[in-house]
Amino acid sequence: GESVGLHLPTLSVQEGDNSIINCAYSNSASDYFIWYKQESGKGPQFIIDIRSNMDKRQGQRVTVLLNKTVKHLSLQIAATQPGDSAVYFCAEWSGGYQKVTFGTGTKLQVIP
Amino acid sequence: KAGVTQTPRYLIKTRGQQVTLSCSPISGHRSVSWYQQTPGQGLQFLFEYFSETQRNKGNFPGRFSGRQFSNSRSEMNVSTLELGDSALYLCASSLAPGDVSNEQFFGPGTRLTVL
């Protein structure tokens, strides 16, 4: 069955440094991936997405990289700020319906 | 434009009881999905409604049910509550299903505690 997993449960980063959060998936047929940010007491918030026909997509301070060969994607946050402290989830879209399969999440802690 | 609202925000119930949670999607959004979030299992898809019809369902027992009204508001119901049902229940809305570009917007969730 399909699954989406994250390598590290917690990541501590110094303010101003770059953060890299990794995610592995098992379904080679997956064609769309999303990164979400969830702050304490809030629901997940869309950050950036990428389709399988791309290997890189950039947003504001964030970049997502997709390696279909090894079924791995990563989220890079440039110049990490205290407001980036949250749990980050990668998610796979199943297509056709509003079903999103989430990974277990990585907690990003920004050290001032 | 107001975001997704969920009521109540917090709820305490005892085993065996039943509970109903409510979700009001963003105005104009017709698709509503429900998720359960627990520390052990993470975020898991429950079901999705569009035009008052359940279009997709996750792997949850029949104790979990839902419905959608003509105004797109949705409710989910859990009957015969178990301790393991304690979780954050999240609702997400989008314009319509079937198009991967339709971003889902999540509400703040309802924190359910079963004693």
Side-chain angles (χ1 to χ4, degrees):
Chain A
E2 62 188 36
S3 67
V4 184
L6 286 146
H7 294 313
L8 295 172
T10 305
L11 176 66
S12 295
V13 175
Q14 203 74 33
E15 181 179 355
D17 287 351
N18 296 335
S19 303
I20 299 177
I21 300 171
N22 296 303
C23 180
Y25 64 96
S26 60
N27 186 358
S28 58
S30 300
D31 59 5
Y32 181 62
F33 303 90
I34 312 160
W35 280 99
Y36 287 92
K37 171 186 180 183
Q38 186 174 22
E39 296 174 279
S40 181
K42 297 183 180 179
Q45 178 185 8
F46 175 95
I47 302 174
I48 192 168
D49 59 359
I50 189 167
R51 293 178 184 259
S52 61
N53 61 352
M54 304 170 69
D55 54 17
K56 180 180 180 179
R57 190 164 188 220
Q58 288 185 290
Q60 188 177 15
R61 284 200 307 118
V62 294
T63 300
V64 56
L65 300 177
L66 175 63
N67 186 330
K68 294 181 288 295
T69 302
V70 296
K71 290 183 283 188
H72 177 273
L73 68 158
S74 66
L75 176 70
Q76 301 178 2
I77 304 173
T80 311
Q81 303 168 359
D84 295 328
S85 293
V87 176
Y88 290 81
F89 296 92
C90 64
E92 169 203 11
W93 184 280
S94 293
Y97 297 101
Q98 295 292 96
K99 177 182 177 180
V100 182
T101 303
F102 285 84
T104 53
T106 292
K107 183 176 183 179
L108 177 64
Q109 296 178 322
V110 181
I111 305 166
Chain B
K1 184 184 278 190
V4 178
T5 58
Q6 292 187 245
T7 57
R9 291 293 311 277
Y10 302 92
L11 203 53
I12 299 175
K13 292 285 189 179
T14 56
R15 281 180 299 173
Q17 289 187 307
Q18 67 101 25
V19 66
T20 299
L21 312 181
S22 180
C23 171
S24 293
I26 292 172
S27 178
H29 284 194
R30 298 171 61 197
S31 175
V32 173
S33 297
W34 288 90
Y35 295 85
Q36 182 197 64
Q37 186 174 31
T38 61
Q41 298 298 318
L43 269 154
Q44 293 186 292
F45 173 79
L46 279 158
F47 27 64
E48 185 253 341
Y49 287 88
F50 175 73
S51 293
E52 302 176 64
T53 301
Q54 187 181 92
R55 294 173 60 89
N56 201 4
K57 191 176 190 301
N59 293 325
F60 279 83
R63 299 186 297 107
F64 292 81
S65 62
R67 59 177 176 169
Q68 186 180 35
F69 302 95
S70 57
N71 61 357
S72 295
R73 190 177 70 85
S74 178
E75 290 181 346
M76 68 162 283
N77 184 276
V78 188
S79 62
T80 319
L81 283 165
E82 301 177 359
L83 295 178
D85 296 333
S86 294
L88 180 68
Y89 290 88
L90 291 159
C91 166
S93 78
S94 66
L95 284 168
D99 183 342
V100 75
S101 65
N102 284 326
E103 179 183 340
Q104 283 189 313
F105 294 84
F106 283 83
T110 294
R111 172 73 62 185
L112 172 65
T113 302
V114 182
L115 303 176

